Amino acid sequence: MRALRWAAAVSLVALFATDGFGQEVKANFVAQGSFELPAKGAPGAPDNPVALALGPDGSVHIADSRGVVHIYGRDGGKDRIYGQPRLKRPIALAVDADGIAFVLDSDLDQVLVFGADGVSLRAIGRKGSKGGQLAEPVDLALGPSGHVYVLDKGRKGIEIFSYDGTFVRDIAFGETLREPMSLSVGNDGSIYVADKRTPTHVYSFPPFTEVPWSGQTPRGMAGRVDLRGAELDEPVATTVNDRGTVVVLDKKVGRLFRKNAWDKAEIGPNDLLYGGIGTGRGSFREAVDIAFDGPEDVLILDQQLRKVERIRLTTEAELRRRPDLGFPIRVTTVAPGLSEPLLDAGVDPDGQPRFLLDMEQRGASMVAARPEPYITVYGDPVRSYHPDPATLMRNLTQDVGDVGAAVLTDSTVVIADSKRNRFAIFELATGTLVGSFGDNYQDDRKLKSPRGVAVLDDGRIVIADTGNNRVKIFSSDLASLVASYPVNKPVGVAIAPSGEIFVWNQGGTVAGKLDPNEERLDPLPPPLVPGPIAALTFDEAGNLFLLDANTHRVTIIEEGLTRVLTQAGAEGAFDKPTRLNVDHEGNIYISDEGTNRTSVYRWDVHFPPLSGLDLDYEGAVAVLKWSPGPERYTRGYEIQGADLPDGPFHAVAMADSSPYRLDPENRPESPPRYVRVAPVFTTGVRGAATEVMPLSYFTAVAAYQAGNYEDALQEAVEGVRLIDEGILDASDDVKGKILRVGFASAYALGDYRGAVPWAQRAAAIPMPRDDLIEFLYMLADMYIKLGDPREASQQILTLVGQGPRPEYYQRTEVIQQSFVIYRQLRNAGYAEDALEFVRLYTQSIPDAAPEQLRYLYEDSITVFSTRDRLGQGFESWKSANYSQVVNFFEGLLTEGGLSAEQRVITWQILAAAYYAFGRRSQAEDTYKQIYGVRSNFNLNREIPRLQKLYNLTIYNPETRQYFSNIGPR
């Protein structure tokens, strides 16, 4: 009982200490989720539990050093086991978000990977002292982007593998850490290592992408996370949450220490978090591992007390989540590779992939490359390529002694023959030898042991002339040597997409870009070069790939040669690697002369599909916005278009960043109906695109401008629907334009009734003055076509109220339209409205308009009003009812108010009527009054004028003769 009381007292001190005891409460015991393991020896019980990890479903995985992993539910209920018979002596484990378990086995010096169902999947690493091998591994952690970190005490460093086990890099401690014991990696990529020789702190390293990729880790790169009050003796476990809080377990004293290097606030006088030696709650005898469960809960495994204790930190609630490490580059190994060494990979003129394979250095075979889907360990399908001799197989062995290098172009195959001191050219289509060159010259074109060959875009051939210590460039017609540069023992040449020539020498000690002006090599930046170069090449995006002659590893350097992107491959993985190729899919081919095989790595950028595509309109500009991809690994964004929502999509434009403005100046002549955005990664590969958005406004306008009115109307209908439903975020201005396109398209198709609702909705949205004028003109014309002249006249009067420019009034169709409205109004019985319309229209004509235009309308008003006032008399005259003529026109004169034009015509008709009645004197007096109003009156001009304007014939030959002799009084 005393032991129990003492244990309880210890636990009380650990859990509820106050300032009086010198410690703030930083964690509380949590009963739910704490449990005891079955007694040792019980069926299915772990014999020697050494490590724990949390599954994504909250399950607890506990590794038994006897070679098995037990899974318990959150409440401690036994679930199942896995690992047998593969595991020998597991010492650490981690479980990813998909339930895949990574178990470090110290006897095997490997990380064994098991599926969520417990099935063995693969092994990572192997025993050894080189990069990618494990000498004395002691801990592991899973980092962001699927990388696996192994703390290797024997190599005094950290080995970092891709998710499938491809070795990426190591971080060498040098003399900084002497006895590392535990490791953890944060979501931000920060690395924490506890070392037995440093009792007061743990070491921190930045994300591995920030540690130089070659040489020893620089001094000062390893920071410190100081633990106040700690005297670590056996820091057997380290864990970190997404707040950056590091917790270290000291096995010897059974205590946990907590520190957040990013938090400036000090919690209590020291960094003791929890624990102590004892047997009760909050006490431990042989605590061996810890793990965060979320940001606040920590699980503690005690081997001797056979318990899992859960505590909840009281310090994390106010802390912010650390930003995730943005390193989306993945490297994997593609199995099974190729069974022959690869000389070059290319495509034929039809875009079909081809391989050029080495035939034991005595020739080459050109083989079709068959694409095959390859499911990576990430679960996504990628394309790898394999030789397909059944489709195409051509042996290029004629006149070739020893293949030093070879290259495929779009029309030829060029082989450097180092044994016969020449290069041979074969037709790509037929495999026929065109000729061989270099050994038959007696001048500076003569070659000696050429080992490298490349072809520039313009067809010039670049040769690494090893024996002559020169790099030579032959013209495309092979008639002349256009350049020759001194390089000591060059063995390889490669062409960057920019057209620059890169060269490396025998032994790989010199590698760089050829400077044609200075006739020298500009060496590659030393920090980027891992060691002597066996081969180098470029991908289509301009990234540089280096094959290390010593380690056999591949280093990928970003275009511009500014930084290493990643590395791939274990040290010493090949026998005699000599060539390096990259295809457009990101497959990396390493040709091994020693084994006569080609191994294949793959690199890509893995990032979730872009999201948040939004389409807005600013005037005539479509603004595309989306959530950006990883900035450092994205070259830009491809705007893709298609005529159907499910494609096929094609490139429309390239954008550097979001947003992108698609305006009438940069849009295609025939814009696509649908758009989406895809990232273009640093690999040159297009990533997963956004969702699809319709581009209805652009397509509607383009179709209308092209005269495809049915398509334009359909696009306008769709555009308005999307706007009305809130799918497209368009301003009133854009909505108005789409409505006007719909109206104009229906009008152009002759569907005037169908155009009315479009016009009504469009008219409700304000529009620029010039647009409004054209809209009202078309609207008036529509009402004319519908036989509604009154509505047409209202639209035109509204139009002229906008103050059109003078040139508007001069347009022939505008003049014709105004008179059509007048005639239709008259014919519909609105004579007074018709005349008023013309009067108001005439008043709107600006002073800057030509005078003759105003005269035209003023004369028209005169004629129109005269017809209205004298029309009844005209009809009486035409029916020869002279008594009615006399009564009507005498009445008008008595009434008064006649215009000059009306009086002149009235006097003429009255005079002619008086003459018909034989009242010659009265006829002459009446006729003479005309000259008082119009002194220049001329009967010969008046007769055709009356006929033209009024369809009126007053004079016959007799009366014409009579009245022509009457002059002014």
Side-chain angles (χ1 to χ4, degrees):
M1 290 293 293
R2 289 181 64 184
L4 289 174
R5 289 195 196 98
W6 173 244
V10 171
S11 94
L12 286 173
V13 170
L15 284 167
F16 305 112
T18 63
D19 285 333
F21 291 91
Q23 176 67 28
E24 295 287 343
V25 175
K26 299 175 186 173
N28 293 317
F29 170 80
V30 179
Q32 188 175 3
S34 298
F35 59 89
E36 292 185 358
L37 298 174
K40 187 174 183 178
D47 188 64
N48 192 35
V50 293
L52 88 161
L54 274 297
D57 57 355
S59 60
V60 181
H61 295 235
I62 295 181
D64 185 342
S65 65
R66 303 293 185 183
V68 66
V69 179
H70 298 258
I71 300 180
Y72 296 88
R74 186 180 180 88
D75 59 355
K78 186 66 180 294
D79 188 352
R80 56 186 173 85
I81 63 172
Y82 62 89
Q84 293 177 323
R86 293 294 309 279
L87 292 173
K88 303 303 179 187
R89 185 177 174 81
I91 57 172
L93 80 157
V95 183
D96 72 8
D98 295 321
I100 309 298
F102 295 75
V103 186
L104 177 62
D105 192 303
S106 61
D107 277 6
L108 299 173
D109 291 312
Q110 287 184 315
V111 176
L112 300 186
V113 185
F114 298 89
D117 55 2
V119 174
S120 177
L121 299 178
R122 58 188 177 276
I124 295 176
R126 58 190 176 92
K127 188 174 183 63
S129 58
K130 298 179 179 180
Q133 300 173 349
L134 303 176
E136 190 182 344
V138 294
D139 201 4
L140 78 84
L142 297 181
S145 304
H147 287 89
V148 181
Y149 297 65
V150 180
L151 179 62
D152 194 329
K153 181 179 177 181
R155 285 178 48 82
K156 289 188 178 179
I158 299 170
E159 304 285 288
I160 303 174
F161 300 86
S162 71
Y163 194 66
D164 79 328
T166 302
F167 181 54
V168 175
R169 67 162 307 170
D170 58 1
I171 297 176
F173 297 149
E175 295 301 317
T176 305
L177 284 81
R178 298 189 177 185
E179 199 169 345
M181 295 191 70
S182 58
L183 164 77
S184 64
V185 180
N187 68 296
D188 60 355
S190 298
I191 304 168
Y192 302 93
V193 181
D195 186 271
K196 189 172 184 179
R197 302 289 185 91
T198 54
T200 61
H201 62 270
V202 296
Y203 288 96
S204 66
F205 293 85
F208 74 82
T209 55
E210 299 178 18
V211 180
W213 288 79
S214 60
Q216 291 289 319
T217 304
R219 283 184 170 274
M221 185 65 74
R224 290 169 45 149
V225 179
D226 292 312
L227 299 169
R228 298 170 302 154
E231 291 291 337
L232 302 176
D233 190 72
E234 286 189 84
V236 295
T238 305
T239 188
V240 60
N241 66 7
D242 59 11
R243 271 62 170 169
T245 294
V246 180
V247 176
V248 183
L249 168 64
D250 187 344
K251 177 181 177 182
K252 186 170 183 179
V253 296
R255 289 183 170 183
L256 283 70
F257 295 86
R258 172 222 179 263
K259 184 72 172 185
N260 189 303
W262 311 100
D263 184 17
K264 301 301 182 183
E266 298 286 0
I267 303 175
N270 59 49
D271 295 319
L272 175 64
L273 174 67
Y274 189 81
I277 295 297
T279 58
R281 181 184 298 174
S283 302
F284 306 95
R285 286 292 191 189
E286 197 170 356
V288 291
D289 204 5
I290 55 176
F292 264 109
D293 183 7
E296 297 180 346
D297 284 13
V298 175
L299 270 63
I300 308 156
L301 173 64
D302 191 303
Q303 184 181 92
Q304 187 179 127
L305 297 179
R306 304 182 65 78
K307 69 175 180 177
V308 173
E309 191 156 308
R310 179 184 292 267
I311 62 173
R312 182 158 298 150
L313 278 60
T314 63
T315 57
E316 307 304 293
E318 301 302 319
L319 298 181
R320 299 181 64 181
R321 191 180 193 275
R322 298 288 301 158
D324 293 330
L325 172 65
F327 185 72
I329 291 180
R330 307 187 308 188
V331 291
T332 53
T333 301
V334 180
L338 310 180
S339 58
E340 299 89 3
L342 180 69
L343 291 168
D344 194 20
V347 294
D348 65 15
D350 295 328
Q352 298 303 311
R354 291 190 179 186
F355 283 151
L356 200 60
L357 301 174
D358 192 340
M359 297 177 62
E360 299 180 353
Q361 295 187 272
R362 291 192 297 272
S365 60
M366 185 167 56
V367 186
R370 181 182 68 256
E372 289 187 358
Y374 173 74
I375 305 300
T376 71
V377 296
Y378 301 93
D380 55 348
V382 299
R383 285 204 294 186
S384 62
Y385 291 92
H386 299 278
D388 185 13
T391 301
L392 173 69
M393 175 71 176
R394 292 199 181 98
N395 291 327
L396 311 177
T397 57
Q398 183 179 355
D399 212 24
V400 176
D402 191 347
V403 177
V407 62
L408 283 162
T409 75
D410 57 0
S411 60
T412 62
V413 178
V414 185
I415 298 176
D417 187 340
S418 58
K419 183 176 181 179
R420 298 188 180 182
N421 302 320
R422 58 192 180 188
F423 62 91
I425 299 181
F426 298 84
E427 286 186 352
L428 181 71
T430 63
T432 303
L433 178 67
V434 175
S436 56
F437 310 87
D439 63 335
N440 52 349
Y441 301 120
Q442 298 303 318
D443 51 24
D444 55 2
R445 292 175 292 176
K446 188 175 181 65
L447 302 178
K448 185 179 179 181
S449 239
R451 298 270 302 278
V453 62
V455 180
L456 292 161
D457 285 343
D458 59 7
R460 290 177 296 161
I461 298 175
V462 185
I463 301 291
D465 191 1
T466 310
N468 286 321
N469 296 315
R470 310 289 293 185
V471 171
K472 296 179 178 179
I473 304 178
F474 288 83
S475 62
S476 58
D477 61 5
L478 306 172
S480 61
L481 183 69
V482 296
S484 178
Y485 306 100
V487 177
N488 186 41
K489 297 294 182 184
V491 296
V493 288
I495 311 297
S498 60
E500 296 169 317
I501 301 172
F502 284 72
V503 183
W504 64 100
N505 73 340
Q506 187 171 304
T509 56
V510 175
K513 180 175 66 176
L514 187 64
D515 184 338
N517 295 322
E518 300 294 332
E519 294 193 353
R520 61 177 173 82
L521 291 183
D522 292 333
L524 297 174
L528 305 181
V529 182
I533 303 302
L536 69 81
T537 191
F538 292 88
D539 64 12
E540 295 175 357
N543 299 300
L544 173 63
F545 295 72
L546 300 178
L547 176 60
D548 190 310
N550 287 346
T551 66
H552 304 169
R553 305 196 66 218
V554 176
T555 298
I556 306 174
I557 301 173
E558 187 177 30
E559 178 195 21
L561 309 182
T562 56
R563 60 172 174 150
V564 172
L565 292 169
T566 192
Q567 291 180 334
E571 291 186 18
F574 308 107
D575 186 359
K576 188 182 177 183
T578 55
R579 299 186 187 94
L580 187 64
N581 285 283
V582 182
D583 67 21
H584 64 285
E585 293 284 343
N587 296 307
I588 306 166
Y589 303 86
I590 303 96
S591 301
D592 190 347
E593 282 188 8
T595 61
N596 283 321
R597 291 188 59 84
T598 300
S599 294
V600 184
Y601 297 139
R602 179 182 176 82
W603 83 304
D604 62 13
V605 170
H606 179 70
F607 193 75
L610 293 182
S611 61
L613 180 61
D614 187 27
L615 176 59
D616 196 2
Y617 287 100
E618 296 176 1
V621 178
V623 183
L624 297 171
K625 301 176 184 177
W626 60 89
S627 300
E631 181 178 352
R632 295 186 68 191
Y633 304 97
T634 304
R635 292 178 181 272
Y637 300 89
E638 186 175 81
I639 314 301
Q640 300 175 344
D643 292 328
L644 297 172
D646 55 353
F649 283 86
H650 61 276
V652 173
M654 281 296 298
D656 292 330
S657 59
S658 173
Y660 179 76
R661 301 171 65 83
L662 190 64
D663 58 43
E665 298 299 322
N666 65 15
R667 68 168 173 81
E669 184 177 345
S670 297
R673 297 186 66 194
Y674 300 91
V675 291
R676 66 183 188 183
V677 180
V680 180
F681 293 126
T682 192
T683 61
V685 175
R686 274 65 178 157
T690 62
E691 68 274 17
V692 175
M693 284 291 262
L695 201 61
S696 302
Y697 170 67
F698 272 104
T699 51
V701 170
Y704 181 79
Q705 291 174 343
N708 300 325
Y709 302 122
E710 290 185 359
D711 290 348
L713 184 59
Q714 181 181 352
E715 295 299 320
V717 169
E718 178 68 2
V720 171
R721 181 187 70 80
L722 293 170
I723 293 172
D724 288 345
E725 294 178 4
I727 298 173
L728 274 184
D729 184 13
S731 64
D732 281 348
D733 177 54
V734 170
K735 185 176 181 179
K737 287 182 178 180
I738 296 179
L739 289 167
R740 294 201 296 278
V741 169
F743 159 67
S745 300
Y747 171 86
L749 292 169
D751 182 12
Y752 306 120
R753 292 290 177 196
V756 171
W758 286 100
Q760 291 172 339
R761 292 191 65 181
I765 299 176
M767 63 186 81
R769 184 176 67 94
D770 287 347
D771 290 350
L772 178 59
I773 288 171
E774 289 302 317
F775 171 73
L776 291 170
Y777 171 81
M778 289 181 64
L779 200 58
D781 205 52
M782 178 191 73
Y783 284 116
I784 290 172
K785 299 289 196 305
L786 290 172
D788 190 346
R790 298 192 77 179
E791 189 61 42
S793 67
Q794 291 302 311
Q795 302 303 326
I796 293 301
L797 292 177
T798 303
L799 183 160
V800 298
Q802 304 299 313
R805 296 180 177 88
E807 53 268 25
Y808 168 81
Y809 291 88
Q810 301 172 56
R811 288 162 47 183
T812 302
E813 68 273 18
V814 169
I815 296 171
Q816 291 175 345
Q817 185 192 62
S818 62
F819 289 118
V820 167
I821 292 173
Y822 167 79
R823 287 195 296 272
Q824 283 198 359
L825 283 170
R826 278 191 61 83
N827 293 339
Y830 305 112
E832 187 174 330
D833 289 345
L835 189 58
E836 182 64 14
F837 164 74
V838 178
R839 284 198 182 103
L840 292 174
Y841 187 88
T842 304
Q843 292 173 10
S844 75
I845 298 174
D847 294 338
E851 287 188 4
Q852 59 267 30
L853 179 67
R854 183 180 293 276
Y855 292 156
L856 170 66
Y857 281 94
E858 289 176 347
D859 286 349
S860 297
I861 292 173
T862 298
V863 171
F864 296 158
S865 60
T866 299
R867 284 177 176 173
D868 289 344
R869 191 75 184 271
L870 308 186
Q872 183 179 340
F874 290 169
E875 296 302 317
S876 297
W877 174 259
K878 290 176 182 178
S879 62
N881 192 338
Y882 302 124
S883 61
Q884 286 188 7
V885 169
V886 170
N887 290 335
F888 176 78
F889 285 105
E890 285 181 345
L892 283 180
L893 291 172
T894 302
E895 184 179 330
L898 296 178
S899 68
E901 169 81 350
Q902 292 165 2
R903 280 182 287 161
V904 166
I905 295 176
T906 295
W907 286 325
Q908 290 183 72
I909 295 176
L910 263 180
Y914 290 151
Y915 183 90
F917 282 123
R919 297 155 57 178
R920 303 282 178 96
S921 176
Q922 195 173 6
E924 182 177 342
D925 290 341
T926 301
Y927 188 82
K928 287 181 178 180
Q929 293 188 65
I930 295 172
Y931 293 102
V933 174
R934 193 178 294 168
S935 60
N936 61 346
F937 179 80
N938 184 297
L939 183 59
N940 292 328
R941 290 197 300 269
E942 182 74 357
I943 290 173
R945 177 175 173 271
L946 292 173
Q947 181 64 41
K948 177 181 179 182
L949 296 181
Y950 303 104
N951 192 24
L952 187 63
T953 301
I954 299 177
Y955 305 95
N956 58 31
E958 180 183 343
T959 56
R960 180 171 183 171
Q961 179 64 36
Y962 176 78
F963 287 111
S964 63
N965 294 320
I966 300 175
R969 291 178 180 176

